[in-house]
Amino acid sequence: MKAAAYLGFALQVLAIPVQALRIFQTNENGWAALYFRTLNNMLKANGHDVFAMAPAQNHPGTGKKLGKPTFRKKPCDYDTCPPNSGRWGYNGSRTDLMWINAYPVVAMEYGIQRFSREYWNGEAADIAIAGVNHGAALWMNVHFSGGVKAAVWAAKKAGIPAIAFNAFTPYPFWNEHPTTLPWNIQPEPPGAQVYAELATQLINQLALSGPPYLPRNVFLNVNFHEVTPECANSSNWKWVLTRINQGTFSPQDVFHCFQHRLPHEFDVYYFHKGNIKQCFIPISIGDARDVSTVNDGFTNNRILHKGRQRDVLDKLRPMLSCF
Ligand SMILES: *[C@@H]1O[C@H](CO)[C@@H](O)[C@H](O)[C@H]1NC(C)=O
Ligand SMILES: *[C@@H]1O[C@H](CO)[C@@H](O)[C@H](O)[C@H]1NC(C)=O
């Protein structure tokens, strides 16, 4: 780690300089997708050292797909690489931005193990992120999400703290409609900037909390709903610590907001008052071993595993709200 260059641009996210992290970034929707690029730019503007490698094309709902990168005959999405360009390639003017002709989990694997290490002279990423992905990944859908599965791979197989950032799209992945927007769309729709600011806020908070940035085998699953007029300013959004699965029959969760049960990410994501959608962001503590909720395992009032939930809570507490 090195001290962050304090760029004026960072003011739009956090008023104090944070520790710079080495961040590996991939996504589910391809390297040319808007939300991915906006976040990439903002993390760099905040002084982080970002290396990005993402699929050549949109791969929605391919969380279970593995394999090796293959030779690409077609152009990349939105013509961002010419036909017959090989298995991977660079943005012509940047060595920190690559595409790979593979599924999201494979992009994470190759990016973490090989390409980002070459870029950082053998050093590993401090954290790995997937997103911001176009399309929410909540509850049972986490098992289909390429972004979530990529984050799970990083936490479980590479031991690197990982976060999946997913955002609202009106089109579910089984719909024929393309789910992404191109990186150079003009004018940029307002959501891109808001999602990037919020994701950067979380990463800066983790940086501030110091290493280890997350407990072992833990990943975070974050979902942003639609940027409605009420939620057009990122300062109106509230982060809520949640569960991936409902906790009805589970052991108690960490004590937070006067109870021993964290809310379900699904309920927080869809919560509204009357017709007005509330700007809540569910942030779930995921167990990378089975893609379920990390649970502290209180049984007969005895703490069996002392608190991966609590460790995450302590790191994020300054930015959390009650639901
Ligand atoms: C390549 O990177 C430059 C500099 O960030 C950017 O302006 C350009 O749009 C990028 N092109 C592609 C295809 O990624
Ligand atoms: C968002 O809200 C903050 C705090 O209320 C304010 O300072 C800022 O100017 C607002 N940003 C925009 C783009 O309206």
Side-chain angles (χ1 to χ4, degrees):
M1 297 210 309
K2 59 181 188 201
Y6 186 27
L7 302 165
F9 192 60
L11 275 170
Q12 46 175 303
V13 173
L14 204 73
I16 49 169
V18 293
Q19 287 290 317
L21 300 182
R22 276 189 307 272
I23 301 173
F24 175 75
Q25 184 190 17
T26 192
N27 79 349
E28 167 164 332
N29 308 107
W31 82 319
L34 174 66
Y35 295 168
F36 173 76
R37 294 286 184 103
T38 312
L39 177 55
N40 183 274
N41 292 336
M42 197 168 294
L43 290 172
K44 289 162 71 87
N46 271 255
H48 297 292
D49 192 355
V50 190
F51 179 85
M53 171 175 246
Q57 69 178 76
N58 189 13
H59 282 299
T62 51
K64 294 190 173 165
K65 297 219 171 166
L66 302 170
K68 286 194 179 331
T70 54
F71 187 88
R72 187 157 184 95
K73 298 198 184 96
K74 291 194 287 186
C76 299
D77 274 0
Y78 309 114
D79 283 325
T80 47
C81 75
N84 298 310
S85 288
R87 290 184 291 165
W88 46 72
Y90 290 90
N91 168 310
S93 57
R94 290 173 58 176
T95 53
D96 62 314
L97 179 58
M98 295 185 74
W99 59 269
I100 182 167
N101 195 38
Y103 292 110
V105 177
V106 183
M108 181 64 94
E109 180 188 341
Y110 276 69
I112 290 278
Q113 308 277 61
R114 176 171 165 186
F115 290 95
S116 67
R117 279 179 180 268
E118 284 173 13
Y119 181 75
W120 287 315
N121 299 317
E123 299 284 341
D126 293 315
I127 69 167
I129 62 174
V132 175
N133 302 304
H134 296 243
L138 295 153
W139 196 4
M140 289 173 306
N141 281 331
V142 294
H143 295 283
F144 303 104
S145 160
V148 171
K149 284 298 175 83
V152 163
W153 190 94
K156 184 170 141 185
K157 296 289 169 79
I160 293 178
I163 312 172
F165 292 107
N166 318 298
F168 172 88
T169 168
Y171 310 108
F173 68 76
W174 56 87
N175 191 294
E176 303 252 308
H177 198 283
T179 49
T180 82
L181 298 165
W183 87 107
N184 56 358
I185 189 170
Q186 289 296 336
E188 187 178 270
Q193 196 73 12
V194 171
Y195 298 148
E197 283 177 19
L198 292 167
T200 304
Q201 207 177 72
L202 173 58
I203 288 167
N204 286 351
Q205 176 60 34
L206 283 182
L208 210 60
S209 76
Y213 298 105
L214 289 174
R216 272 180 57 120
N217 274 319
V218 164
F219 73 97
L220 301 178
N221 188 40
V222 173
N223 281 280
F224 304 117
H225 73 69
E226 191 175 6
V227 177
T228 57
E230 293 78 18
C231 307
N233 188 324
S234 61
S235 65
N236 290 346
W237 293 65
K238 295 191 172 72
W239 295 86
V240 177
L241 199 63
T242 51
R243 307 176 54 88
I244 294 175
N245 337 77
Q246 273 153 324
T248 322
F249 301 109
S250 311
Q252 290 182 336
D253 290 317
V254 64
F255 188 71
H256 176 51
C257 293
F258 309 105
Q259 53 185 343
H260 271 293
R261 176 63 70 220
L262 298 175
H264 189 203
E265 60 183 11
F266 195 84
D267 295 337
V268 171
Y269 181 84
Y270 285 106
F271 186 72
H272 55 268
K273 280 192 184 137
N275 282 331
I276 309 228
K277 193 78 192 59
Q278 305 295 300
C279 322
F280 285 121
I281 312 162
I283 173 167
S284 289
I285 311 172
D287 191 328
R289 289 171 300 188
D290 59 2
V291 201
S292 72
T293 305
V294 162
N295 195 286
D296 276 356
F298 289 81
T299 309
N300 301 326
N301 292 325
R302 288 183 55 219
I303 302 168
L304 297 182
H305 318 289
K306 206 162 181 288
R308 288 182 298 161
Q309 277 187 345
R310 176 161 312 134
D311 291 346
V312 176
L313 173 60
D314 286 344
K315 285 177 163 289
L316 302 183
R317 205 185 290 273
M319 64 185 286
L320 292 175
S321 298
C322 292
F323 176 65

